[in-house]
Amino acid sequence: MKEKTAGVFLLTRENDYQLLQETEALAAARRLKVPITVAFAENNARIQLQQIDDFVGAHPSESVVIVEAVDDESLAEVAHRAAESGMGWFLLHRSAGYMYRLRSEFPALPMSMVTADHKEIGRIQ
């Protein structure tokens, strides 16, 4: 079995912002001496689901999944499997209803949604 790893799952290589996220994730992992896996789904929800499912099956508990979802709700089952195996789950730029269920069922695991503050964005505009 592999060592504890951070798995970062992004949308597409065809987007400069996504490539910047990859660059920053790899740099942070180097600084922290944390193993990391980065995968791109090329905007295909089924590919992303399979990538994450493969990661969950191949890595031990205390690994973490960081995902910018192609389709939020399609990841509910794999997020639950990750939590059952003891992995943290972080959603980037999204919110999803299943996160509230996961947090209540697995309160000891790190779980988070990182989203924009729309009130503050509106205030700035």
Side-chain angles (χ1 to χ4, degrees):
M1 184 174 281
K2 288 187 167 186
E3 60 188 323
K4 296 176 234 176
T5 303
V8 179
F9 300 89
L10 300 171
L11 301 174
T12 179
R13 292 181 199 281
E14 300 298 317
N15 179 298
D16 290 342
Y17 179 66
Q18 297 287 300
L19 295 174
L20 178 61
Q21 285 179 296
E22 176 191 35
T23 300
E24 292 298 320
L26 292 170
R30 272 193 304 279
R31 270 193 320 277
L32 298 170
K33 296 178 175 56
V34 173
I36 188 171
T37 298
V38 179
F40 291 89
E42 303 314 331
N43 286 321
N44 185 312
R46 278 184 282 179
I47 290 172
Q48 188 172 61
L49 178 64
Q50 188 62 57
Q51 290 170 334
I52 297 169
D53 199 43
D54 290 347
F55 177 87
V56 169
H59 292 85
S61 64
E62 299 178 15
S63 293
V64 296
V65 175
I66 304 163
V67 60
E68 187 159 351
V70 174
D71 176 47
D72 299 320
E73 293 305 318
S74 71
L75 299 179
E77 287 183 33
V78 74
H80 193 268
R81 280 194 299 279
E84 283 180 323
S85 72
M87 291 185 184
W89 187 270
F90 299 88
L91 275 179
L92 301 177
H93 308 293
R94 300 280 200 223
S95 60
Y98 68 81
M99 288 296 291
Y100 302 103
R101 293 187 303 274
L102 284 179
R103 285 178 178 159
S104 65
E105 189 174 346
F106 302 96
L109 291 178
M111 306 238 175
S112 181
M113 296 181 286
V114 180
T115 64
D117 182 340
H118 294 290
K119 276 188 165 181
E120 184 61 15
I121 290 169
R123 187 192 67 74
I124 291 168
Q125 289 175 343

